[in-house]
Amino acid sequence: MNTVQELNNSLKSLIQEFEHILNQASSLQELEDARVVFLGRKGKLARIMSRLPELDPADRPGTGRTANEVKTELNRILENRKEALEKQAAAGGDITFDPTLPGRTPDMGSLHPVTRVIQDISNIFVGLGFDIVTGPEVETDFYNFEALNLPPGHPARDMQDTLYITKSLVLRTHTSPLQVRTMEKRRPPLAAIAPGKVYRRDSDLTHTPMFHQIEGFLVDTHVSMADLRGTLTAFAQRIFDPDVKVRFRPSFFPFTEPSAEVDISCVMCQGQGRNQDGSTCRVCKETGWVEVLGCGMIDPEVFLQVGYDPDIYTGFAFGLGVERVAMLKYGINDLRMFFENDIRFLNQFA
Ligand code: 2NL
């Protein structure tokens, strides 16, 4: 191959080479770098042109013309690519961005299921006209026991059942002290719920020394058991299912008379006692009912403790365990889940 052919071939291959490199460039800086390599003073094109004097004088004009055409073409390719990159940048685009890739979701915190259930229950009762009250977790003997008709010597006061701070200070065993405090401070008509942590000397598969309770109460003239039943039925249908059935069973609490335990039709098997596949329902143990609440008409003895005339006022009260409601609502079968803070468990409530 003679020198004329060699130079002409080198010139033409510059075009393909330049195009290939520019297509891979993703920034204006990379374009500029490529321009210097190909079109710069000491670049590839300049080096080929510097060899023109080696040619026969007759061959010089032709090869010189080819060199100029290649130079024009290289500049045209560069301008086109520059324009494309600038357009992309203006559109906020990045040539390396692949819009078909799945996004990276940032880790987000979420509410603990117990917190969520407390909020859900609180919203329902606020909707029914109840206030929300809170107060101390370390309580006096008077508010935790005495005012609630649990006199000295009552079995619930036993060291076995209660965590004592001193002889007359305890970690509250229920949130009822808040209701006593509220009744002392205010006069009927009043309705409030008291959510919070409570403590008992109890620890096994189904009991933890700390758990969450919500108690509620309503005091006015002419409050009846029918008001209690209507209120709790409305609540159960809102927190669980609009079709849920409610039943009252006679029971006993020191601070209510009469007292009842409230069952709802099982939310797992719709009260059938059996699962869809015919196996026995573990949640209601085949009975079709599960216990969710304790309640009753406030004992006149409690009214006397807070200075209300039991001949004028009547009222109802109820208490529920938040963890228990959360277990039924979300189908959780192990109480320990709430306290282990396993991120795989908590993430399910995000
Ligand atoms: C249960 C039962 C109950 C109450 C709590 C109450 C409070 C006052 C007066 C009368 Cl100040 N009663 N609270 C009444 C009945 C039942 O809780 O099973 N809790 C988890």
Side-chain angles (χ1 to χ4, degrees):
M1 185 161 60
N2 62 35
T3 318
V4 182
Q5 283 171 330
E6 193 198 322
L7 291 191
N8 280 338
N9 286 346
S10 302
L11 282 169
K12 282 179 188 137
S13 69
L14 278 187
I15 295 175
Q16 272 197 348
E17 210 187 324
F18 194 52
E19 225 163 14
H20 180 72
I21 286 178
L22 286 200
N23 278 338
Q24 288 182 338
S26 58
S27 66
L28 294 177
Q29 183 57 51
E30 281 174 76
L31 288 194
E32 175 58 15
D33 293 345
R35 190 195 64 79
V36 171
V37 171
F38 282 81
L39 291 157
R41 245 180 351 104
K42 291 179 180 167
K44 287 177 191 258
L45 181 64
R47 257 180 286 144
I48 296 171
M49 286 172 86
S50 72
R51 291 179 61 193
L52 281 180
E54 292 172 29
L55 298 180
D56 214 61
D59 291 330
R60 286 180 205 163
T63 308
R65 210 179 308 119
T66 305
N68 272 327
E69 281 164 13
V70 167
K71 186 175 180 177
T72 308
E73 180 64 9
L74 294 186
N75 275 313
R76 195 187 61 80
I77 293 168
L78 180 69
E79 279 314 307
N80 281 349
R81 188 75 188 114
K82 204 166 171 178
E83 214 173 282
L85 274 186
E86 274 164 355
K87 247 190 220 153
Q88 209 158 30
D94 169 356
I95 194 168
T96 60
F97 176 72
D98 180 353
T100 65
L101 283 176
R104 288 184 204 117
T105 322
D107 284 340
M108 295 237 268
S110 63
L111 294 179
H112 190 281
V114 167
T115 308
R116 239 175 98 156
V117 168
I118 289 176
Q119 290 186 349
D120 289 350
I121 294 175
S122 298
N123 286 338
I124 292 169
F125 280 104
V126 166
L128 292 170
F130 284 68
D131 294 330
I132 297 174
V133 292
T134 54
E137 290 176 24
V138 176
E139 267 294 1
T140 62
D141 182 274
F142 174 77
Y143 285 110
N144 196 75
F145 294 127
E146 190 91 38
L148 289 155
N149 202 25
L150 290 145
H154 192 282
R157 291 180 157 215
D158 199 301
M159 297 281 278
Q160 295 298 322
D161 302 318
T162 302
L163 291 153
Y164 279 83
I165 303 287
T166 66
K167 212 168 172 307
S168 57
L169 284 181
V170 299
L171 288 180
R172 68 182 180 200
T173 58
H174 40 202
T175 57
S176 329
L178 285 169
Q179 316 191 32
V180 177
R181 288 173 178 278
T182 306
M183 284 193 267
E184 277 182 345
K185 267 197 294 242
R186 294 155 60 175
R187 298 283 112 177
L190 49 90
I193 60 164
K197 292 175 164 55
V198 299
Y199 302 85
R200 293 186 191 172
R201 249 180 111 139
D202 218 345
S203 189
D204 59 40
L205 267 185
T206 52
H207 298 88
T208 46
M210 184 282 289
F211 64 99
H212 297 80
Q213 204 190 24
I214 295 183
E215 284 200 28
F217 77 115
L218 180 146
V219 185
D220 200 350
T221 53
H222 312 295
V223 178
S224 75
M225 198 99 178
D227 298 317
L228 172 59
R229 189 176 166 111
T231 303
L232 293 183
T233 303
F235 160 71
Q237 292 178 341
R238 284 178 203 178
I239 194 78
F240 293 111
D241 187 299
D243 294 326
V244 91
K245 305 269 176 300
V246 172
R247 79 175 182 188
F248 275 39
R249 277 182 292 109
S251 185
F252 173 81
F253 299 108
F255 25 82
T256 46
E257 182 62 34
S259 304
E261 240 136 6
V262 181
D263 296 343
I264 58 160
S265 51
C266 181
V267 281
M268 279 300 145
C269 63
Q270 280 76 47
Q272 300 303 300
R274 291 186 172 273
N275 299 315
Q276 300 261 285
D277 63 6
S279 61
T280 61
C281 179
R282 288 204 356 269
V283 173
C284 64
K285 304 199 179 63
E286 246 184 310
T287 63
W289 296 93
V290 284
E291 188 190 320
V292 287
L293 285 153
C295 66
M297 301 306 292
I298 298 174
D299 196 296
E301 202 55 47
V302 176
F303 283 148
L304 290 176
Q305 292 288 342
V306 295
Y308 288 6
D309 185 344
D311 290 332
I312 299 176
Y313 296 116
T314 54
F316 64 69
F318 55 88
L320 61 83
V322 177
E323 282 82 357
R324 183 163 172 73
V325 172
M327 287 171 90
L328 287 171
K329 203 168 152 60
Y330 298 117
I332 300 160
N333 53 27
D334 188 343
L335 180 68
R336 290 170 297 184
M337 291 290 199
F338 292 115
F339 304 101
E340 283 171 355
N341 289 329
D342 185 324
I343 200 79
R344 293 165 300 182
F345 171 72
L346 296 176
N347 268 342
Q348 296 178 52
F349 302 92

